[in-house]
Amino acid sequence: MDLTQLLSWACIVFTVGMFSTGLTDLKKMRESKSADNIQFLPFLTTCLNNLGWLFYGTLKRDHTIVVVNIIGALLQIIYIVMYFLYTKQKRLVVLQTLAAAAVLVCGWLYFTTVLTEGEARLNQLGLTCSVVTVSMYLSPLTDLVAIIRSGNVQVLSFPLTVATFFTSTAWVLYGLQLNDYYIMVPNTPGIFTSLIRFYLFRKFASTSQGSPSYKPLHI
């Protein structure tokens, strides 16, 4: 097994593991028969992100990207369906899902009809997916600032932080090996935000009590 294959398996294992942390919320919803205190948009945006990267991986003929994002998209769809079953805000969920579907259709039409040249299409799609991924990694920075001020790390998930760190590192190394900056660059913030979280755990964990909650893909 060469280095590329090793990194490929690492990306698949670590990423699927990170996506699977959403099963914690799934269990909570089934036990409580409620979706209260669980966020819906991370499931939806992650699903869109998975589908975007799936298209990128298909165009690039990269089986690692394809496999990871097929599994990721299927898991997010399961989370979305279960959330819909247990939430009291079904109308809002339907509207948000329809809006996401509209964005997905517009993106699909653009990349399949307007932009048809192979290299240009791959580059623009890679850039789009990279921007979305970076924004998802950086979106919780305001939460980290609030944690620093309060000294309370109960809202952070240590297993998710570990999974994010290894997942981001694996993808950065994989992108480096393939010389693909669209894979390498957007995953770099995941390493830094994870390191910040590790620091916060070390500084504040001893003063916090209780089990941390999970916020899917707020990394």
Side-chain angles (χ1 to χ4, degrees):
M1 181 180 293
D2 60 19
L3 181 58
T4 302
Q5 288 178 314
L6 182 63
L7 290 173
S8 171
W9 278 108
C11 289
I12 292 173
V13 171
F14 289 138
T15 309
V16 171
M18 185 176 72
F19 288 147
S20 298
T21 56
L23 294 172
T24 303
D25 280 328
L26 195 62
K27 183 179 179 181
K28 287 181 182 177
M29 286 188 284
R30 292 189 63 185
E31 289 178 348
S32 65
K33 306 297 182 184
S34 171
D36 293 345
N37 301 319
I38 295 176
Q39 298 179 6
F40 174 69
L41 283 180
F43 295 138
L44 191 60
T45 54
T46 302
C47 187
L48 284 179
N49 196 37
N50 287 144
L51 294 173
W53 281 112
L54 176 59
F55 189 23
Y56 179 81
T58 302
L59 293 179
K60 192 178 173 67
R61 297 182 179 179
D62 187 309
H63 77 278
T64 304
I65 298 175
V66 170
V67 169
V68 162
N69 287 286
I70 286 177
I71 296 173
L74 289 175
L75 283 173
Q76 302 309 317
I77 290 171
I78 292 173
Y79 301 152
I80 289 169
V81 170
M82 295 301 293
Y83 188 96
F84 178 78
L85 291 177
Y86 292 118
T87 187
K88 299 174 183 176
Q89 299 179 315
K90 285 184 170 54
R91 179 182 174 82
L92 179 60
V93 169
V94 169
L95 291 176
Q96 291 175 335
T97 303
L98 288 176
V103 171
L104 186 64
V105 170
C106 289
W108 174 262
L109 290 174
Y110 175 74
F111 285 111
T112 55
T113 59
V114 178
L115 198 65
T116 57
E117 295 184 12
E119 194 64 28
R121 178 169 62 172
L122 188 65
N123 287 334
Q124 281 206 28
L125 180 59
L127 180 60
T128 302
C129 291
S130 296
V131 170
V132 174
T133 300
V134 169
S135 65
M136 291 177 69
Y137 274 126
L138 297 181
S139 61
L141 285 180
T142 52
D143 292 337
L144 295 182
V145 172
I147 290 169
I148 292 173
R149 290 176 178 172
S150 66
N152 184 357
V153 293
Q154 291 183 23
V155 295
L156 294 180
S157 168
F158 187 76
L160 181 60
T161 302
V162 173
T164 302
F165 176 76
F166 283 111
T167 300
S168 301
T169 302
W171 281 111
V172 168
L173 293 175
Y174 184 70
L176 209 62
Q177 182 72 9
L178 298 181
N179 197 30
D180 189 330
Y181 291 100
Y182 296 125
I183 297 175
M184 181 178 62
V185 173
N187 285 285
T188 303
I191 298 176
F192 290 110
T193 54
S194 296
L195 291 174
I196 293 172
R197 287 184 170 212
F198 284 135
Y199 169 76
L200 294 178
F201 275 115
R202 180 176 181 180
K203 185 173 182 180
F204 298 122
S206 59
T207 61
S208 299
Q209 301 294 327
S211 301
S213 62
Y214 166 68
K215 294 183 178 181
L217 261 247
H218 271 203
I219 299 166

